[in-house]
């Protein structure tokens, strides 16, 4: 491992500075990371809280939605936290525990959480249920929520948008086979992929089809778009760079395994994980060029880039990588932290979450 550079990462505070709710073990709040790291790292802790989850429960999802941090537990209990000061604004069970909920989404002051057959629209500040909308088709997962619409994909091949105000159908589009995954909004377009290996690009408000392009096998991970290109990972062992405007394929990277995770693009850095093989850094202008590869980071999740340092989460650690050559600079032990959220891909505020509901916010100095 190389010597430590001047890093900016997670910091901890002394026990006397920890704020928020105290855990139920009677011993006071516990630190989320080793306090010895505080002397070397460049973040300051704003607050720490404890949702005090029951012993058999754990956090499934955590989403940073503007100035609100939203968590979903495995019993379908939703908590909304003021991201600025750590106040727990509300916490209650949205639906029965047997329903499978999507990741929470936000539209203004409305929080939207869906099961396969219903969408729950709540006031994000007080948890009041504004409406429960029956979905017109079974939903594959987390919808796109955009400008008063929620856009779902159905396993039977229907992409459909319903209004949050009324639940009425705004638009829909039928394909010949089932969709492979939930839709995504990137580069100002809705992208949906089907089991036949087709990539579809739509206008999000009107549902107008902009283009479609076929690849060899289904795309199960979300594409990622830059200013000119959209990067499409496929289970056919290929990453495609398509023009955002018309879907024409500019380049194709042939990998050594299936691509079932989304690319990560920021500041000229394009990362793509290859299943059971490696993490690749590719040239975004010509994805055939591999800048570096790492077998050790195949399961790591990119969090942010700070200057020339890439931070990835893997196995309870924040690993710091040189973006130029992929070499490891150092690592920060996060202990039992399992969710790491950042407000920015270029070195934002971090939120560290344990499965038992302990949450810490740390901001750059």
């Amino acid at each position: 491992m190389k010597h430590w550079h001047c890093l900016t990462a997670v910091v901890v505070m002394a026990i006397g500075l920890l704020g928020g709710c105290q855990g139920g073990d009677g011993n006071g709040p516990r630190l989320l990371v080793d306090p010895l790291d505080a002397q070397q790292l460049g973040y300051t802790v704003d607050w720490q809280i404890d949702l005090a989850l029951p012993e058999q429960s754990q956090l499934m999802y955590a989403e940073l939605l503007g100035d609100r941090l939203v968590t979903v537990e495995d019993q379908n209990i939703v908590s909304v936290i003021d991201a600025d000061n750590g106040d727990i604004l509300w916490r209650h069970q949205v639906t029965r525990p047997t329903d499978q909920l999507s990741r929470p989404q936000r539209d203004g002051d409305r929080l939207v959480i869906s099961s396969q057959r219903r969408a729950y629209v709540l006031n994000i500040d007080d948890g009041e249920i504004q409406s429960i909308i029956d979905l017109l088709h079974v939903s594959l997962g987390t919808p796109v929520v955009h400008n008063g619409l929620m856009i779902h994909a159905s396993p039977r091949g229907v992409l459909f948008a319903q209004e949050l105000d009324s639940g009425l159908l705004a638009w829909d589009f039928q394909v010949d086979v089932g969709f492979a995954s939930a839709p995504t909004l990137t580069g100002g377009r809705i992208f949906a992929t089907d089991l036949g290996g087709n990539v579809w690009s739509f206008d999000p408000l009107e549902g107008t089809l902009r283009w479609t392009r076929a690849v060899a096998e289904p795309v199960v991970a979300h594409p990622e778009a830059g200013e000119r290109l959209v990067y499409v990972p496929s289970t056919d062992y290929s990453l495609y760079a398509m023009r955002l405007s018309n879907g024409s394929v500019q380049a194709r990277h042939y990998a050594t395994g299936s691509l079932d995770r989304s690319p990560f693009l920021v500041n000229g850095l394009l990362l793509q994980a290859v299943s059971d093989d490696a993490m690749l850094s590719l040239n975004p202008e010509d994805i055939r060029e591999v800048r570096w590869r790492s077998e050790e980071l195949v399961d790591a999740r990119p969090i942010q880039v700070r200057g020339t340092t890439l931070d990835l989460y893997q196995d309870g650690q924040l690993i710091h990588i040189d973006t130029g050559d992929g070499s490891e600079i150092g690592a920060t032990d996060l202990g039992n932290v399992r969710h790491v959220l950042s407000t920015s891909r270029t070195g934002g505020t971090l939120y560290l979450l344990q499965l038992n509901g302990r949450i810490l916010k740390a901001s750059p100095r």
Side-chain angles (χ1 to χ4, degrees):
M1 181 182 299
K2 290 186 176 182
H3 294 296
W4 279 80
H5 291 180
C6 183
L7 299 179
T8 311
V10 183
V11 72
V12 296
M13 57 173 64
I15 291 179
L17 294 179
L18 289 172
C21 303
Q22 180 169 318
D25 55 12
N27 296 322
R30 291 175 292 181
L31 301 176
L32 297 191
V33 291
D34 192 324
L36 295 177
D37 291 334
Q39 298 176 9
Q40 303 182 67
L41 306 175
Y43 273 54
T44 57
V45 171
D46 299 314
W47 49 258
Q48 177 169 291
I49 63 172
D50 189 351
L51 296 178
L53 270 59
E55 185 175 349
Q56 300 302 318
S57 296
Q58 64 181 19
L59 294 182
M60 295 175 56
Y61 304 134
E63 294 287 343
L64 187 63
L65 304 176
D67 60 352
R68 298 290 180 260
L69 177 64
V70 183
T71 65
V72 180
E73 300 166 31
D74 53 8
Q75 296 297 307
N76 288 339
I77 296 174
V78 176
S79 299
V80 173
I81 300 152
D82 188 316
D84 293 329
N85 56 33
D87 289 344
I88 302 172
L89 301 180
W90 57 270
R91 181 170 182 260
H92 63 243
Q93 191 171 42
V94 170
T95 184
R96 58 188 180 183
T98 54
D99 287 341
Q100 184 176 354
L101 290 182
S102 69
R103 290 183 175 274
Q105 302 293 300
R106 181 177 183 175
D107 184 74
D109 62 358
R110 293 180 290 196
L111 179 68
V112 182
I113 306 177
S114 297
S115 67
Q116 290 183 311
R117 298 184 177 275
R118 291 184 179 87
Y120 301 86
V121 183
L122 307 95
N123 184 294
I124 198 168
D125 291 323
D126 59 21
E128 179 182 356
I129 295 181
Q130 298 180 344
S131 62
I132 299 176
I133 300 172
D134 290 328
L135 300 181
L136 298 177
H137 304 274
V138 173
S139 176
L140 270 173
T142 303
V144 170
V145 173
H146 177 69
N147 201 28
L149 299 178
M150 56 177 175
I151 304 167
H152 295 261
S154 163
R156 294 195 173 184
V158 183
L159 187 72
F160 62 101
Q162 290 181 243
E163 297 178 356
L164 291 177
D165 289 333
S166 64
L168 295 176
L169 179 68
W171 57 264
D172 62 359
F173 190 90
Q174 176 78 56
V175 301
D176 293 334
V177 297
F179 281 105
S181 62
T184 187
L185 177 66
T186 183
R189 299 282 183 83
I190 291 290
F191 287 93
T193 59
D194 66 32
L195 295 172
N198 299 298
V199 181
W200 304 84
S201 174
F202 297 89
D203 173 83
L205 298 182
E206 304 296 332
T208 306
L209 176 64
R210 296 300 183 184
W211 52 262
T212 183
R213 186 69 55 188
V215 297
E217 297 291 341
V219 175
V220 297
H222 288 158
E224 172 91 341
E227 293 184 0
R228 297 186 306 106
L229 300 173
V230 57
Y231 303 95
V232 180
S234 174
T235 55
D236 68 5
Y237 290 30
S238 297
L239 179 68
Y240 297 85
M242 301 178 181
R243 291 192 181 277
L244 193 59
S245 58
N246 59 19
S248 62
V249 177
Q250 176 171 297
R252 179 179 180 180
H253 176 84
Y254 293 89
T256 54
S258 179
L259 305 185
D260 53 12
R261 285 167 55 186
S262 298
F264 179 87
L265 176 67
V266 60
N267 286 358
L269 176 73
L270 176 64
L271 300 178
Q272 177 64 61
V274 180
S275 180
D276 299 324
D277 185 23
M279 177 75 74
L280 304 179
S281 174
L282 306 174
N283 180 354
E285 298 301 318
D286 184 356
I287 59 173
R288 294 168 294 185
E289 177 188 339
V290 178
R291 291 176 171 173
W292 53 262
R293 60 178 284 127
S294 171
E295 290 80 7
E296 289 77 17
L297 298 176
V298 63
D299 295 321
R301 183 168 62 87
I303 302 297
Q304 61 183 10
V305 173
R306 301 169 289 109
T308 60
T309 299
L310 166 68
D311 295 327
L312 306 99
Y313 172 82
Q314 180 173 264
D315 297 332
Q317 287 189 318
L318 203 63
I319 302 174
H320 314 295
I321 300 296
D322 187 307
T323 58
D325 59 13
S327 61
E328 182 174 328
I329 300 169
T332 301
D333 185 12
L334 301 181
N336 292 323
V337 168
R338 291 298 176 265
H339 298 282
V340 180
L341 306 178
S342 178
T343 57
S344 170
R345 288 188 175 185
T346 55
T349 297
L350 294 178
Y351 294 82
L352 310 181
L353 301 94
Q354 293 181 347
L355 295 182
N356 63 7
R358 298 181 187 272
I359 305 172
L360 182 146
K361 175 185 177 181
S363 299
R365 290 176 181 172

